[in-house]
Amino acid sequence: MKVAEFFDLFVKELEQMPSLWSYYKFHTDAKSLEFRKAYFCQRLEYIEKQIQQRDSQTWDIGCGYGTTALFLALNGFKVHGTTLEFYINELPQRMQYWSQFGDVSGFTYDYEDLFDESVQRKDFDYIIIQDTLHHLEPLQDALRIISNHLKKDGSLVIVEENGSNIIQNLKLYKQRGNKRIIEIYDERLQKKILLGNENIRSINTWKKELAKQGLTVVNDSLHYVRALPPAIFNKLGYEKAIVREQKLWRSNPFLKKYFFFGINFLVRHA
């Protein structure tokens, strides 16, 4: 299943699941639909491009509502997702919906604390960390666990917010100040856990943190998304706006660093 087809079916699914609207926002503002679609699809296409080995095992850390894992399962990949909080409640209904369009049995999931040493885990060819890396605390403990479960020739596929983005940093500072790490109580696990409070970082900071666990960012894997406003997407159209945006970050280092919202990159053992 191609990303474009998956997105169209996904939007139809959301019509039946208003509980997901506040997270995905595709039904809350029609004027931003193409803009949000571009962000969603480009990130999913990036993940699709990196995960190619058909007999591979993938771990989706912080799989949330399971959207990425469902897409990969429909394309014949085996993905195990781990998640916390309320996300897991929606997964049975989602599995039922997507089973109309293909085999989703390759997607399995658990409600699980990454730091639970009693959990028996296998080693993985790919580990996806999408919108989750900035939540993992203590970070070095998390990266050690991740590194230990990544096969020697495996890849981490990271999809993150760009921690150098000026606008997002101002927004987050207004929202949480300097309180970058918080403690929450998980009712299901019956214990307190640490959580990065939208603790986004720059790519250079991620490189330094990853290197402490013997992990290195593949330099030619860097990919930036989202800089142009919704009005430009509506004016130019979906495809032309993406082309302009992609040319922009490749030709303008200043805008790339400080004004693009999302960054994707690949990580391997050093």
Side-chain angles (χ1 to χ4, degrees):
M1 181 178 289
K2 300 298 183 184
V3 170
E5 179 187 359
F6 181 81
F7 179 80
D8 290 341
L9 292 171
F10 177 49
V11 170
K12 291 179 181 178
E13 178 196 20
L14 289 178
E15 293 173 359
Q16 308 167 28
M17 297 190 70
S19 58
L20 272 60
W21 289 9
S22 61
Y23 185 85
Y24 288 106
K25 298 181 174 65
F26 291 119
H27 290 77
T28 57
D29 183 4
K31 294 180 180 178
S32 298
L33 179 60
E34 295 298 294
F35 167 77
R36 295 189 185 282
K37 175 185 175 182
Y39 188 60
F40 176 92
C41 289
Q42 285 183 92
R43 299 167 100 212
L44 192 55
E45 285 166 353
Y46 183 85
I47 293 171
E48 178 189 35
K49 181 180 178 181
Q50 307 308 325
I51 298 180
Q52 295 290 325
Q53 189 179 329
R54 282 289 163 184
D55 59 348
S56 62
Q57 296 284 339
T58 298
W59 181 14
D60 188 351
I61 298 176
C63 69
Y65 292 118
T67 302
T68 296
L70 284 163
F71 171 75
L72 291 172
L74 286 165
N75 283 287
F77 294 98
K78 292 181 180 179
V79 184
H80 183 70
T82 52
T83 189
L84 293 173
E85 301 184 298
F86 48 82
Y87 301 104
I88 202 166
N89 299 328
E90 309 294 344
L91 289 178
Q93 185 178 345
R94 300 207 70 197
M95 293 283 283
Q96 185 177 8
Y97 172 82
W98 287 103
S99 65
Q100 302 173 84
F101 309 107
D103 183 6
V104 294
S105 62
F107 172 38
T108 58
Y109 56 87
D110 281 312
Y111 193 95
E112 182 182 298
D113 178 9
L114 175 68
F115 303 99
D116 188 346
E117 295 181 1
S118 67
V119 176
Q120 297 295 314
R121 298 189 181 100
K122 63 180 74 174
D123 292 342
F124 294 90
D125 302 284
Y126 302 101
I127 299 178
I128 300 170
I129 312 178
Q130 181 173 0
D131 293 327
T132 300
L133 193 58
H134 61 266
H135 289 310
L136 300 180
E137 295 293 343
L139 178 62
Q140 285 304 317
D141 290 345
L143 293 178
R144 174 181 52 79
I145 293 168
I146 292 165
S147 179
N148 287 343
H149 289 286
L150 180 68
K151 289 183 179 180
K152 186 177 180 180
D153 58 348
S155 300
L156 299 181
V157 185
I158 310 294
V159 177
E160 262 292 329
E161 291 181 24
N162 175 15
S164 295
N165 182 283
I166 294 172
I167 298 170
Q168 184 66 356
N169 273 302
L170 289 172
K171 176 184 173 183
L172 291 178
Y173 184 79
K174 183 179 179 181
Q175 175 182 313
R176 50 125 165 93
N178 282 321
K179 195 172 184 180
R180 290 176 171 268
I181 301 174
I182 57 175
E183 187 178 73
I184 64 170
Y185 185 77
D186 190 288
E187 293 287 350
R188 190 175 300 210
L189 297 176
Q190 294 290 294
K191 67 178 182 179
K192 294 178 181 178
I193 59 174
L194 289 179
L195 190 69
N197 188 18
E198 303 302 330
N199 195 10
I200 63 174
R201 298 166 172 88
S202 69
I203 185 58
N204 286 334
T205 301
W206 284 129
K207 286 180 177 180
K208 292 175 183 176
E209 296 293 341
L210 289 159
K212 293 175 185 178
Q213 297 299 328
L215 298 167
T216 185
V217 174
V218 179
N219 284 325
D220 62 0
S221 70
L222 294 173
H223 180 256
Y224 290 78
V225 289
R226 184 185 278 183
L228 301 176
I232 299 297
F233 275 83
N234 294 334
K235 180 180 179 180
L236 295 179
Y238 179 81
E239 297 291 345
K240 288 183 178 180
I242 289 177
V243 169
R244 177 176 291 188
E245 206 168 56
Q246 290 302 295
K247 285 182 178 178
L248 193 61
W249 76 258
R250 288 182 169 89
S251 62
N252 192 315
F254 179 80
L255 291 178
K256 176 182 73 173
K257 182 175 182 179
Y258 294 112
F259 289 96
F260 272 79
F261 181 84
I263 182 171
N264 311 320
F265 54 98
L266 203 63
V267 176
R268 296 195 178 113
H269 288 293

